[in-house]
Amino acid sequence: MASMAHPIFTLSTKPDTKKRRYVAADGKSYVEIRPNMIGLATVHDRDVLIYCISQVMAALNDGKQVHRTLRFKAYDLLVATNRPVAGTGYSGLKAALERLQGTQIETNITTGGVEQIDGFSLIDRYRIVRETRDGRMLDLEVTLSDWVFNAIAGDDVLTLNRRYFQLRKPLERRLYELARKQCGMQPEWKCGLDKLKDRTGSTSSDKEFRRLVKAICKADQEHNHMPDYAFRMDADILTVTPKPEFLENYAPKPEQDRLTGGYILPLSPDTLERARELAPTWDIKVLVGEWRNYAARQQNPPKNPDAAFLGFCKSWFKKRGRNGW
């Protein structure tokens, strides 16, 4: 989340060797990014970090012990992040690893309840475990920095839409990251163009930055290519709103019963009383349990639990009649 709020990764597609320092609005927290000779880590290099974080999160969700060092197939990473699996994909991956390790960061941002005021790389080291005869890497080992690992352990992470990896323009990716971090599931988020430029880390002129943002907004209105959020700009104010499919996919799921797996969906007293009229011979507690188990087998929980339960009771009584005695 910290890397989504601050422009740690460069938008440039050419080697960017400029040192940068960003100070938060409170004047207390800061981020200073120092490149090595081959330049800063790019927005596209971040794919490697996202993939590593997803592997750690998946292991945590499965109750497994996790470590800073991960080993995986280079091919799996390329496929997951929508990169070419030919020679250019592997050479690009190696360059990304070099930039991620070479980019030095100094910050006092707190992640996972730990405040670090020191310098570190995004990844401590990488190792190409095996190469084929034509030089193509097969297995990789990547050791994440303490800062990144603390963020994962502290759950300072956000899920990203897989379509994020289909965005080829660095500014498109950065706008999505800001929308995911700043807007979330709120009705909207607004940001003036001057502040937006600072948040993206863009080095374009004000005129060119305005043109680029307008072009992205127009393309999204015409082709709906930006995942999760809609973007529009009026009078140098960018307005971001969640798209309907995002609200459906990311809305918090109801709690599930550990024994039955059924959704624990609240029902109003009026609904229970109406259900007794629709299925007069049945035990309402039995019907509530049956309906919750039924709802758990559906792809998504019902948007209107009361209406869904009444419909279930009506259908149940019609099929089974007075067998509830």
Side-chain angles (χ1 to χ4, degrees):
M1 290 174 63
S3 69
M4 295 172 78
H6 300 271
I8 290 177
F9 299 90
T10 180
L11 300 179
S12 177
T13 55
K14 298 178 180 180
D16 187 343
T17 57
K18 182 181 177 181
K19 183 175 74 172
R20 302 180 184 187
R21 183 181 177 92
Y22 304 101
V23 181
D26 60 9
K28 297 179 181 179
S29 60
Y30 69 90
V31 177
E32 184 169 290
I33 303 102
R34 309 184 190 111
N36 63 3
M37 291 186 297
I38 62 174
L40 291 169
T42 71
V43 167
H44 289 285
D45 295 343
R46 181 187 176 142
D47 291 357
V48 179
L49 208 58
I50 294 173
Y51 182 81
C52 291
I53 291 172
S54 71
Q55 300 304 298
V56 177
M57 290 300 298
L60 285 172
N61 292 336
D62 289 340
K64 298 178 181 177
Q65 188 175 4
V66 294
H67 305 277
R68 288 197 301 125
T69 300
L70 298 85
R71 182 167 179 165
F72 51 86
K73 300 290 184 183
Y75 177 85
D76 292 341
L77 183 151
L78 294 175
V79 171
T81 56
N82 197 41
R83 288 169 172 250
V85 294
T88 55
Y90 290 92
S91 58
L93 177 56
K94 187 174 185 296
L97 291 167
E98 292 173 353
R99 286 189 292 267
L100 286 169
Q101 186 185 32
T103 298
Q104 293 291 308
I105 298 175
E106 182 180 291
T107 182
N108 64 343
I109 293 176
T110 299
T111 59
V114 177
E115 184 185 39
Q116 293 184 186
I117 310 177
D118 58 2
F120 53 90
S121 300
L122 292 167
I123 60 175
D124 279 355
R125 64 185 293 272
Y126 70 89
R127 185 158 67 102
I128 301 172
V129 180
R130 217 153 36 103
E131 291 188 359
T132 55
R133 291 183 178 179
D134 60 358
R136 185 175 301 180
M137 66 182 71
L138 294 181
D139 293 349
L140 289 178
E141 276 189 3
V142 174
T143 301
L144 301 174
S145 69
D146 286 333
W147 186 70
V148 172
F149 196 72
N150 286 339
I152 302 172
D155 203 23
D156 291 340
V157 294
L158 283 174
T159 54
L160 300 180
N161 193 307
R162 292 185 67 87
R163 288 170 54 201
Y164 168 86
F165 297 112
Q166 297 174 8
L167 300 176
R168 302 316 306 166
K169 296 179 180 178
L171 185 57
E172 288 179 334
R173 290 190 170 205
R174 186 65 188 134
L175 289 178
Y176 172 81
E177 293 168 9
L178 286 171
R180 187 73 186 92
K181 174 66 170 62
Q182 303 295 337
C183 185
M185 299 191 68
Q186 299 179 82
E188 68 175 21
W189 173 65
K190 292 179 179 289
C191 187
L193 205 63
D194 290 340
K195 183 177 288 186
L196 184 68
K197 184 180 176 183
D198 290 337
R199 292 189 176 217
T200 61
S202 173
T203 56
S204 301
S205 66
D206 292 347
K207 182 179 179 180
E208 176 64 6
F209 183 71
R210 182 183 297 105
R211 185 191 71 80
L212 292 172
V213 175
K214 280 186 175 180
I216 292 172
C217 293
K218 182 180 179 182
D220 184 50
Q221 292 170 2
E222 294 176 352
H223 306 292
N224 193 33
H225 75 298
M226 294 292 285
D228 297 338
Y229 298 94
F231 298 79
R232 72 176 189 274
M233 194 169 75
D234 300 301
D236 286 355
I237 301 293
L238 179 71
T239 301
V240 179
T241 54
K243 294 180 177 179
E245 59 269 23
F246 169 77
L247 295 177
E248 291 181 7
N249 294 334
Y250 287 84
K253 300 292 184 182
E255 185 181 353
Q256 288 181 270
D257 186 276
R258 292 186 178 181
L259 294 177
T260 66
Y263 288 121
I264 303 176
L265 297 163
L267 297 170
S268 70
D270 291 341
T271 296
L272 297 177
E273 194 62 35
R274 176 61 179 150
R276 291 187 176 93
E277 298 175 5
L278 294 173
T281 60
W282 284 86
D283 186 329
I284 292 301
K285 291 183 179 179
V286 172
L287 288 180
V288 169
E290 292 290 346
W291 171 67
R292 285 175 172 166
N293 290 335
Y294 166 79
R297 295 194 295 271
Q298 308 310 304
Q299 185 174 5
N300 294 302
K303 296 180 180 179
N304 188 331
D306 293 284
F309 177 62
L310 293 178
F312 177 84
C313 291
K314 185 176 181 179
S315 175
W316 184 278
F317 188 75
K318 183 177 180 180
K319 291 180 181 178
R320 294 167 178 78
R322 308 176 69 84
N323 292 335
W325 287 103

